[in-house]
């Protein structure tokens, strides 16, 4: 008892022990009778075989059955995720496993997803029809869907899974999605910046704050990757300003309680600003003088330190070494930071490297294009000394083919020895066939349709073959072309064009369009080109044209000049048209000199192109003239993806052996220059330059003559000019990554130009019997052609207000008199105005968008005319669309 009392005392107070009765000892637990398993029966299985279920557990016949082994078997079966319920019972060694299988998924249904379509979500989730339903997979898929929405910037997205029970133990899984608003960046806070304002630093970031000016910006949504990139951009900005010790202490993105917006907070430490110290170049290459190179470096001692300038200098030194054949030159900067005087000394160390030779040129990835088409554009061959400038030029020439992916680069790899290099052209072919369809609306021609089909890499040989057709109410053309850039595998190009062009010039009279003259041109051109240097080439051509210019005899011919003989009537057609009609042959020799340093002829971003071309017609044929054209273009990349281009052209033509008739130009109407759409946006087809406008004279209802100036009621004939110039300024504006992937390239432009130089049409005399027409001029000097009655020669059209009288100011107006029918067509009185013959510039500005749409390239332009001359026809909207194959 003493020992027992001591044991109890250890846990109970002494006073309580003295008063409490001794407690009886607990009865021992009954010993479980251990039985061996006699059989294992599986019930409730529908799809799974009993043996398969038994294989998942460790219970075996003959083994002892205990509660521990039963619990382990339950865990093993639930771990398979094949069952929604499992029960194990034991009856004298007969073990029964009752299972309830998880259902089979019949369908996966998404509801509420508008921003993310099913084809974006379903490939990301693991559940699929005919799979076994498990709750863990559902939870995982819910997390995946929410993550997809987070990548889209929708952090408030919620997904609620639901299960619809079907017969035969099947279920439909429904994910009810609440997408929520796109999470924006409400505020960007920057703490610790003293030298630069928050606005300056935010301007360097890709992420932008929400606001009225950022309504259409894609950078206002929160993206963790973009936030990390912004930190790098901020660091680069400070390093270019001389703050070499700059660091970002922390960057935190805090989601607002409503889960709609984020607040970004950056804590920075600017540090001190450094200047360049001593800048040296230490070269172990024998061809390099370190002191001479150091004198040519862009940074000088005392300049503010700029890390970007250091990186650019390393690239320039590597490129310079490459031009001497050192492909693997190693240029490393060594920094000497002095915190006392805040200077940063730099030594560019150029390690010794062997001179490198091209071991091999490999062309990979071309399935259609033949190897020789790519290889012939290389400015290096196997065995040549390596040269980075020649590699760059080779890259530019291959890009200019337009057969492969944009931003193609020739890769450089180590060869079989330290002094060997392998150049690889890993190309990715793109469609080189182009089906171009254009539609436009002209105030003159109404609807215009043009179509062309062209294959720029025919049979993979680099040949170009094309067919173009155009149709409108007043013009039709067809042309077949073929170009071989390397004739017989030599660096000589050959091209042939066959064409037929029908053009019906027209004007308006009383709101009705009238054909003035018809020109049909049938001909061909043969071209041959040869390079003179790497950047200069010469192209010679021979053109033979057969032209037929005709007028409608019922409208423009009469017998007034020679009774009984139908001839072109200058009073009906105008003398410039009467002089143009007829059939003639033009035999034209041409020569062009072309200078081209563009990085890509299809879509240039930098470089220059200049061409001078001359044509001489007169080696046979019936037409003699000399014509010259000058074209020039310069492209500049101007910061952060902007591309600025300046393009200009000019031309002049001089006829030989022409007539000297007053008021008739020596250059035929059909050989002159014309200007308008599409050359100068903002103006209609042939809408710029000299023109003759005929304004009818009518009775104003009170017996007086009135000149009709309504544009829809006058005839307007474009005359063209002997001289012209044209200029374009255009700035291509980069958009965000999303718009760039869509192929959108907007631009703003300014077009200016003029065409002029024809003779002023002379006042036509009246060579007709009875003096049917009396030519005179109004007070402004414009020609007037006043009809005189064939019977009463004293009756003339006159007005004291709008038309100066001719010979008899007091005579009554005879505006409706009838001419002698024997003299042919009668001509109503009219005033003739000659306008537009001025070199003063016509100017238009506007915006345009190029779009590589799913159905082909699309271009749309809106232009506003700033400067024009009387008589010019303006137009504000044009578009065209095509497709590629």
């Amino acid at each position: 008892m003493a020992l027992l009392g001591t044991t109890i005392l250890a846990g109970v107070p002494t006073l309580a022990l003295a008063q409490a009765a001794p407690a009886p000892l607990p009865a021992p637990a009954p010993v479980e009778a251990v039985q061996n398993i006699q059989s294992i029966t599986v019930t409730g299985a529908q799809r799974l075989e009993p043996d398969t279920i038994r294989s998942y557990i460790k219970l075996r016949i003959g083994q002892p059955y205990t509660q521990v082994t039963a619990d382990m078997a339950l865990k093993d079966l639930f771990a398979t995720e094949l069952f929604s319920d499992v029960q194990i019972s034991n009856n004298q060694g007969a073990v029964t496993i009752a299972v309830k299988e998880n259902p089979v998924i019949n369908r996966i249904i998404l509801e509420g997803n508008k921003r993310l379509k099913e084809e974006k979500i379903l490939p990301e989730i693991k559940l699929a029809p005919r799979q076994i339903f498990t709750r863990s997979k559902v939870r995982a898929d819910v997390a995946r869907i929410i993550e997809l929405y987070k990548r889209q910037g929708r952090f408030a997205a919620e997904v609620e899974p639901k299960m619809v029970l079907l017969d035969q133990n099947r279920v439909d899984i429904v994910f009810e999605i609440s997408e929520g608003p796109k999470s924006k960046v409400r505020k960007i806070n920057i703490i610790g910046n003293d030298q630069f304002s928050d606005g300056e630093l935010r301007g360097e970031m890709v992420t932008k704050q929400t606001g009225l000016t950022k309504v259409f910006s894609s950078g206002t949504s929160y993206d963790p990757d973009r936030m990390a990139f912004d930190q790098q951009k901020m660091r680069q900005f400070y390093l270019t300003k001389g703050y070499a010790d700059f660091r970002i202490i922390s960057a935190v993105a805090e989601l607002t309680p409503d889960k709609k917006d984020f607040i970004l907070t950056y804590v920075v430490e600017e540090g001190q600003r450094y200047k360049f110290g001593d800048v040296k170049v230490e070269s172990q290459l024998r061809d390099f003088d370190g002191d001479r190179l150091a004198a040519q470096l862009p940074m000088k001692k005392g300049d503010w330190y700029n890390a970007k300038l250091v990186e650019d200098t390393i690239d320039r030194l590597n490129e310079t070494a490459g031009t001497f054949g050192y492909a693997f030159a190693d240029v490393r900067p060594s920094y000497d930071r002095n915190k006392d005087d805040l200077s940063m000394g730099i030594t560019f160390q150029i390690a010794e490297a062997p001179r490198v030779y091209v071991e091999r040129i490999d062309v990979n990835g071309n399935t259609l294009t033949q190897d020789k088409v790519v290889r012939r554009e290389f400015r290096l061959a196997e065995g040549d000394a390596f040269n980075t400038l020649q590699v760059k030029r080779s890259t530019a020439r291959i890009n200019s083919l337009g057969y492969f992916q944009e931003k193609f680069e020739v890769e450089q790899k180590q060869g079989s020895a330290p002094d060997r290099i392998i150049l690889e052209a890993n190309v990715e072919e793109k469609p080189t066939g182009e089906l171009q369809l254009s539609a436009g609306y002209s105030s003159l021609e109404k609807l215009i349709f043009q179509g062309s089909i062209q294959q720029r890499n025919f049979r993979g040989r680099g040949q170009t073959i094309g067919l173009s057709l155009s149709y409108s109410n007043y013009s039709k053309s067809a042309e077949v072309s073929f170009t071989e850039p390397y004739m017989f595998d030599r660096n000589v190009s050959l091209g042939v064009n066959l064409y037929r062009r029908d053009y019906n010039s027209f004007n308006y009279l009383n709101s009705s369009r009238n054909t003035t003259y018809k020109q049909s041109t049938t001909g061909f051109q043969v071209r041959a080109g040869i390079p003179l240097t790497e950047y200069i080439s010469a192209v010679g051509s021979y053109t033979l044209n057969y032209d037929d210019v005709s007028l409608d005899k019922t409208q423009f011919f009469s017998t007034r000049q020679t009774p009984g003989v139908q001839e072109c009537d200058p009073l009906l057609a105008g003398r410039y048209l009467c002089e143009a009609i007829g059939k003639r042959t033009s035999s034209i020799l041409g020569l062009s000199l072309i200078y081209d340093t563009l990085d890509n002829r299809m879509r240039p971003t930098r470089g220059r192109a200049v061409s001078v071309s001359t044509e001489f017609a007169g080696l046979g044929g019936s037409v003699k003239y000399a014509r010259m054209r000058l074209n020039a273009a310069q492209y500049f990349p101007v910061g952060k993806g902007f591309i600025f281009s300046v393009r200009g052209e000019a031309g002049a033509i001089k006829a030989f052996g022409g007539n000297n008739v007053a008021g008739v130009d020596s250059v035929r109407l059909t050989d002159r220059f014309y200007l308008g759409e599409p050359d100068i946006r903002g103006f209609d087809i042939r809408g710029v330059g000299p023109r003759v406008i005929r304004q009818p004279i009518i009775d104003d209802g009170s017996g007086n003559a009135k000149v009709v100036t309504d544009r829809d009621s006058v005839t307007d004939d474009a005359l063209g000019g002997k001289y012209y110039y044209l200029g374009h300024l255009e700035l291509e504006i980069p958009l965000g990554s999303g718009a760039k992937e869509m192929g959108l390239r907007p631009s703003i432009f300014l077009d200016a130009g003029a065409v002029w130089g024809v003779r002023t049409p002379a006042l036509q005399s009246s060579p007709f019997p009875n003096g049917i027409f009396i030519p005179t001029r109004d007070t402004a000097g414009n020609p007037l052609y006043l009809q005189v009655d064939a019977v009463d020669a004293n009756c003339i059209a006159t007005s004291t207000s709008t038309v100066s009288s001719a010979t008899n100011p007091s005579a009554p107006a005879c505006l409706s008199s009838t001419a002698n029918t024997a003299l042919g067509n009668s001509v109503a009185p009219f005033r003739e105005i000659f306008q537009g013959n001025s070199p003063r510039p016509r100017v238009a500005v506007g915006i345009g968008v190029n779009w590589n749409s799913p159905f082909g390239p699309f271009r749309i332009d809106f232009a506003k005319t700033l400067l024009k001359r009387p008589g010019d026809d303006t137009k504000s909207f044009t578009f065209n669309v095509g497709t590629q194959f």
Side-chain angles (χ1 to χ4, degrees):
M1 284 297 296
L3 182 59
L4 180 60
T6 303
T7 302
I8 295 174
L9 186 62
V12 183
T14 304
L15 180 59
L17 179 61
Q19 297 176 353
L25 294 174
V31 178
E32 180 182 2
V34 178
Q35 297 176 339
N36 291 334
I37 301 174
Q38 303 297 323
S39 62
I40 301 176
T41 304
V42 177
T43 62
Q46 295 179 348
R47 297 181 304 272
L48 299 173
E49 295 294 332
D51 288 342
T52 302
I53 297 175
R54 283 191 285 266
S55 68
Y56 294 146
I57 60 178
K58 296 183 175 63
L59 296 178
R60 296 293 182 268
I61 295 176
Q63 292 181 351
Y65 177 89
T66 65
Q67 192 62 41
V68 175
T69 57
D71 291 344
M72 185 60 69
L74 286 173
K75 291 180 180 180
D76 292 339
L77 290 174
F78 278 115
T80 64
E81 296 191 337
L82 297 174
F83 311 102
S84 60
D85 190 20
V86 180
Q87 294 182 0
I88 300 178
S89 60
N90 177 26
N91 184 14
Q92 301 297 321
V95 177
T96 301
I97 303 176
V99 299
K100 183 178 181 181
E101 295 178 350
N102 273 332
V104 174
I105 298 174
N106 179 54
R107 289 186 303 166
I108 303 294
I109 302 173
L110 303 176
E111 293 183 353
N113 56 310
K114 296 180 180 178
R115 301 295 180 179
L116 280 179
K117 302 302 180 183
E118 290 187 359
E119 55 267 21
K120 296 289 186 181
I121 298 177
L122 292 179
E124 297 292 331
I125 62 179
K126 301 302 182 183
L127 289 177
R130 294 182 296 279
Q131 287 186 354
I132 303 300
F133 166 83
T134 65
R135 296 184 181 276
S136 61
K137 289 182 180 180
V138 172
R139 288 192 294 269
D141 285 345
V142 167
R144 288 188 185 93
I145 296 173
I146 291 177
E147 181 61 29
L148 288 177
Y149 276 98
K150 286 183 178 180
R151 294 177 190 174
Q152 297 288 325
R154 299 182 183 276
F155 286 80
E158 296 179 352
V159 179
E160 183 179 352
K162 292 187 177 180
M163 183 173 63
V164 180
L165 298 176
L166 305 175
D167 56 356
Q168 300 179 355
N169 200 23
R170 296 176 302 130
V171 293
D172 286 341
I173 305 301
V174 180
F175 292 102
E176 294 184 351
I177 301 173
S178 174
E179 296 179 320
K182 199 166 188 177
S183 300
K184 302 288 185 178
V185 176
R186 181 183 299 177
K187 183 71 175 176
I188 300 178
N189 297 318
I190 304 174
I191 301 174
N193 54 312
D194 297 325
Q195 302 300 323
F196 301 99
S197 66
D198 290 2
E200 289 180 276
L201 298 181
R202 293 192 195 108
E204 296 296 319
M205 299 180 182
V206 178
T207 305
K208 305 299 180 183
Q209 292 182 161
T210 55
L212 294 178
T213 60
K214 300 294 188 299
V215 173
F216 300 105
S217 174
S218 61
T220 57
S221 59
Y222 170 72
D223 187 339
D225 295 335
R226 190 183 294 154
M227 187 176 179
F229 182 69
D230 286 338
Q231 296 179 55
Q232 183 64 23
K233 292 279 288 182
M234 202 187 311
R235 176 172 172 77
Q236 290 176 354
F237 174 76
Y238 269 95
L239 290 178
T240 59
K241 300 299 182 181
Y243 294 88
D245 296 330
F246 172 82
R247 65 192 184 102
I248 297 176
I249 299 175
S250 66
V252 178
E254 181 183 1
L255 187 63
T256 57
D258 58 5
K259 295 185 178 181
K260 290 184 178 180
D261 298 314
F262 275 88
I263 297 176
L264 308 185
T265 303
Y266 298 93
V267 180
V268 303
E269 183 180 309
E270 293 179 324
Q272 297 294 325
R273 193 179 188 187
Y274 286 76
K275 291 185 176 182
F276 280 111
D278 293 327
V279 182
K280 304 176 182 177
V281 177
E282 295 180 356
S283 173
Q284 298 180 10
L285 300 178
R286 61 180 182 179
D287 298 309
F288 283 64
D289 185 334
D291 294 338
R292 182 177 298 178
L293 285 175
Q296 297 176 355
L297 295 181
M299 69 280 290
K300 304 298 179 183
K301 184 176 181 179
D303 294 343
W304 291 113
Y305 173 73
N306 187 330
K308 181 66 167 58
L309 196 58
V310 175
E311 293 177 2
D312 293 342
T313 302
I314 295 173
D315 292 338
R316 288 179 56 183
L317 291 174
N318 275 318
E319 186 175 311
T320 303
T323 60
F324 286 87
Y326 299 100
F328 302 109
D330 186 12
V331 180
R332 297 183 180 179
S334 176
Y335 296 92
D336 181 17
R337 182 178 310 192
N338 190 329
K339 294 188 176 182
D340 295 331
D341 60 2
L342 298 177
S343 65
M344 183 75 74
I346 299 179
T347 301
F348 295 97
Q349 299 173 341
I350 307 177
E352 185 176 3
R355 188 170 297 225
V356 177
Y357 298 87
V358 179
E359 178 180 354
R360 193 172 71 247
I361 296 176
D362 293 336
V363 179
N364 306 317
N366 52 316
T367 57
L368 172 66
T369 307
Q370 297 182 6
D371 277 12
K372 69 176 184 179
V373 174
V374 181
R375 289 181 180 276
R376 66 196 184 193
E377 301 301 329
F378 272 90
R379 303 296 92 183
L380 292 167
E382 281 97 349
D384 288 352
F386 177 81
N387 188 304
T388 53
L389 294 180
Q390 298 290 18
V391 172
K392 280 191 171 183
R393 180 59 181 166
S394 301
T395 301
R397 289 180 66 93
I398 295 173
N399 272 321
S400 294
L401 293 175
Y403 306 160
F404 310 114
Q405 76 274 19
E406 295 182 12
K407 298 184 179 179
F408 161 83
E409 294 287 344
V410 174
E411 297 184 16
Q412 306 168 22
K413 291 189 176 181
Q414 178 68 57
S416 59
D419 62 345
R420 295 290 183 266
I421 190 172
I422 297 173
L423 301 180
E424 282 192 356
N426 296 312
V427 300
E428 180 183 335
E429 292 181 326
K430 66 179 184 181
T432 54
E434 185 172 288
L435 175 63
Q436 187 78 24
L437 298 175
S438 300
Y441 182 83
S442 166
S443 60
L444 296 177
E445 292 196 76
K446 301 303 181 183
L447 288 177
I448 304 169
F449 298 97
Q450 294 178 334
S452 65
I453 184 170
Q454 184 183 66
Q455 174 55 259
R456 292 180 288 104
N457 190 15
F458 184 59
R459 298 187 300 165
R461 296 173 176 266
Q463 301 166 340
T464 300
I465 185 171
L467 170 66
S468 64
L469 301 170
S470 69
Y471 175 84
S472 72
N473 288 341
Y474 290 89
S475 65
K476 305 173 184 65
S477 68
E479 183 170 355
V480 178
S481 62
F482 174 80
T483 303
E484 169 57 74
Y486 282 79
M487 193 68 180
F488 304 119
D489 290 330
R490 296 186 179 276
N491 201 1
V492 177
S493 64
L494 181 68
V496 179
N497 289 56
L498 302 174
Y499 47 83
R500 169 63 184 257
R501 305 183 183 112
D502 292 334
Y503 177 76
N504 297 348
S505 184
F506 54 88
N507 57 32
Y508 274 107
L509 180 60
N510 297 327
S511 301
S512 298
R513 287 179 299 180
N514 299 282
T515 298
T516 54
Y517 71 89
K518 297 180 180 180
Q519 179 183 1
S520 298
T521 302
T522 304
F524 71 90
Q525 183 184 73
V526 179
R527 305 176 309 279
I530 185 171
L532 303 179
T533 68
E534 177 60 31
Y535 300 103
I536 301 176
S537 59
V539 178
S541 64
Y542 175 74
T543 306
L544 182 63
N545 288 335
Y546 175 76
D547 294 307
D548 184 4
V549 180
S550 61
L551 293 173
D552 184 1
K553 292 185 177 181
T554 62
Q555 184 178 356
F556 297 108
F557 279 52
S558 75
T559 59
R560 274 193 288 262
Q561 299 180 78
T562 305
V565 179
Q566 286 281 339
E567 294 179 309
C568 181
D569 190 338
L571 290 175
L572 293 170
R575 181 169 294 179
Y576 58 91
L577 276 183
C578 290
E579 293 289 334
I581 63 173
K583 299 177 181 179
R584 66 185 188 276
T585 303
S586 302
S587 179
I588 307 170
L589 283 176
L591 177 64
S592 299
L593 291 178
I594 302 171
Y595 174 76
D596 187 348
T597 63
L598 298 178
D599 60 344
N600 189 324
R601 293 189 186 98
M602 305 301 294
R603 188 186 294 178
T605 60
R606 66 173 67 243
R608 178 181 304 160
V610 180
S611 68
V612 179
S613 62
T614 58
E615 293 177 334
F616 176 76
L619 188 66
S622 56
V623 178
K624 292 180 173 58
Y625 64 77
R627 178 160 48 197
M628 176 175 286
R629 281 191 174 98
L630 171 66
N631 287 269
Q634 178 79 50
Y635 294 84
F636 309 88
V638 283
K640 296 185 178 180
F642 290 89
I643 300 173
F644 179 66
S645 61
V646 180
R647 293 172 288 134
E649 59 181 284
I653 185 172
K654 178 176 177 56
F656 299 104
N659 59 61
N660 293 316
V661 179
V664 177
D665 203 280
S666 57
V667 179
R668 291 179 182 269
L669 180 74
T670 53
D671 295 326
R672 299 172 192 164
F673 299 110
Y674 291 88
L675 202 57
E677 182 196 350
D679 303 307
I680 179 168
R681 290 159 287 194
F683 293 87
D684 211 337
I685 299 172
R686 298 192 175 190
V688 173
R691 59 211 324 105
V692 168
I693 299 175
R694 287 190 174 190
Q695 300 170 334
I697 302 174
I698 64 173
D699 188 340
D700 65 358
S702 60
N704 293 321
K706 176 183 178 182
V707 178
V708 178
T709 59
D710 182 14
R711 196 57 181 263
D712 291 337
S713 300
V714 303
T715 60
D716 183 348
D717 293 315
L719 303 184
K722 292 190 292 186
Y723 314 101
Y724 87 100
Y725 65 86
L726 181 62
H728 307 275
L729 300 178
E730 191 156 4
L731 180 65
E732 185 175 312
I733 303 171
L735 297 179
S737 57
K740 187 178 296 184
E741 290 175 2
M742 293 175 60
L744 287 173
R745 293 184 294 115
S747 62
I748 57 176
F749 60 82
L750 181 147
D751 292 348
V755 58
W756 75 100
V758 296
R759 293 182 184 178
T760 302
L763 181 66
Q764 299 176 34
S765 62
S766 179
F768 312 121
N770 300 326
I772 280 187
F773 253 77
I774 297 178
T776 183
R777 295 184 183 273
D778 65 7
T779 54
N782 296 308
L784 288 175
Y785 298 97
L786 306 179
Q787 184 176 10
V788 179
D789 192 280
V791 179
D792 184 0
N794 293 322
C795 184
I796 63 171
T798 183
S799 171
T800 57
S801 58
T802 59
V803 180
S804 294
S805 60
T807 59
N808 188 0
S810 62
C814 301
L815 300 175
S816 59
S817 59
T818 303
N820 190 337
T821 57
L823 296 178
N825 296 343
S826 102
V827 182
F830 63 89
R831 179 172 68 177
E832 192 173 78
I833 299 178
F834 178 60
Q835 293 181 325
N837 190 30
S838 169
R840 295 180 62 178
R842 281 71 158 174
V843 181
V845 297
I847 58 174
V849 178
N850 276 309
W851 177 30
N852 292 332
S853 67
F855 47 85
F858 182 89
R859 171 80 189 190
I860 186 171
D861 290 296
F862 294 92
K864 171 65 175 177
T865 303
L866 299 183
L867 293 177
K868 65 177 182 176
R869 300 295 297 164
D872 292 344
D873 291 326
T874 60
K875 180 180 181 180
S876 59
F877 168 77
T878 56
F879 76 94
N880 64 72
V881 65
T883 187
Q884 292 182 333
F885 62 93

